């Protein structure tokens, strides 16, 4: 299978995973990115079987709307039974790096409100140790240089993602050359820097289910 076919396969597997649980009152949490987009496109067929969705980005909200799926504010919803989203890297503990699409903060918020986080990814995202993918950190714009200096002290090489403003009006620093031995501790450590909104480590709350698209099949891990 090509990478695109693997993304399609995991999107289909995620539909199989949630479809038996859909009720007319169900509101789903939906992520951001090319894999999540494939999931949204497949979900459209079931739009009369559930109530709607909470989106982790304006882009996903627009795509959901385009399919006639109602999008709700998270504050009016509370918890969601499932959050379905992609990842930039995933390790054996289902800890993730996310935020390649700059949607990490809203993704982390919706994931926090989910009873089950189903991560969908092609096998190229699977790593032994997180950090080959540059770790994104969302920062309040006036704090960017300060946060960058603090990240250097932690051993990272932060690079300003120029031209990118997040849906929250903030900026992104991508941490290069930053292999992570203890994702839970590093997630907490970076989030404690003043001016950081959040970082792209999803370890304190990782995925509950991983659907990983391999050469010829989808592997399910919990
Ligand atoms: C966006 C994300 C995405 O989930 C991540 O970048 C994976 O994207 P794709 O499915 O396009 O590979 O975290 O902020």
């Amino acid at each position: 299978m090509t990478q695109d076919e693997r993304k399609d396969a995991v999107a289909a597997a995620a539909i199989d995973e949630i479809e038996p649980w859909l009720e007319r009152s169900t509101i789903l949490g939906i992520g951001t990115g090319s894999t999540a987009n494939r999931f949204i496109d497949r979900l459209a067929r079931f739009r009369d079987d559930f109530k709607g969705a909470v989106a982790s980005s304006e882009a996903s909200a627009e795509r959901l709307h385009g399919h006639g799926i109602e999008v709700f504010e998270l504050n009016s919803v509370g918890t969601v039974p499932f959050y379905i989203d992609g990842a930039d890297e995933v390790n054996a503990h289902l800890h993730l790096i996310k935020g390649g699409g700059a949607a990490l903060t809203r993704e982390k918020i919706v994931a926090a409100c989910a009873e089950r986080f189903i991560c969908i990814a092609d096998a190229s995202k699977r790593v032994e140790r997180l950090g080959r993918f540059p770790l994104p950190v969302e920062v309040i714009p006036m704090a960017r240089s300060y946060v960058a200096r603090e990240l250097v002290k932690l051993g990272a090489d932060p690079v300003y993602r120029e031209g990118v403003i997040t849906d929250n009006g903030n900026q992104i620093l991508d941490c290069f050359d930053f292999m992570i031995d203890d994702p839970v501790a590093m997630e907490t450590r970076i989030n404690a820097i003043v001016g950081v909104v959040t970082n792209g480590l999803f370890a304190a709350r990782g995925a509950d289910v991983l659907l990983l698209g391999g050469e010829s099949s989808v592997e399910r891990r919990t």
Side-chain angles (χ1 to χ4, degrees), residues 7 32-36 85-88 98-104 107 122 125:
K7 289 180 182 185
T32 299
S34 59
T35 317
D85 198 1
D88 298 301
K98 291 183 48 55
L104 61 161
E107 290 172 341
D122 66 87
K125 309 294 182 68

Side-chain angles (χ1 to χ4, degrees), residues 139-153 173 192-196:
V139 296
I140 300 290
M142 72 172 288
R144 192 184 73 233
S145 297
Y146 168 72
V147 172
R149 290 194 297 275
E150 293 299 304
L151 290 169
V152 168
K153 288 182 196 166
L173 292 169
I193 300 171
V194 174
V196 168

Side-chain angles (χ1 to χ4, degrees), residues 49-60:
D49 300 340
F50 66 103
K51 189 170 175 186
V54 170
S56 70
S57 64
E58 299 297 337
S60 290

Side-chain angles (χ1 to χ4, degrees), residues 105-123:
T105 299
R106 294 190 186 194
E107 290 172 341
K108 201 175 274 198
I109 293 167
V110 184
C113 294
E115 287 163 28
R116 278 201 134 201
F117 177 178
I118 301 171
C119 179
I120 50 177
D122 66 87

Side-chain angles (χ1 to χ4, degrees), residues 129 150 219:
R129 196 168 160 223
E150 293 299 304
E219 185 185 346

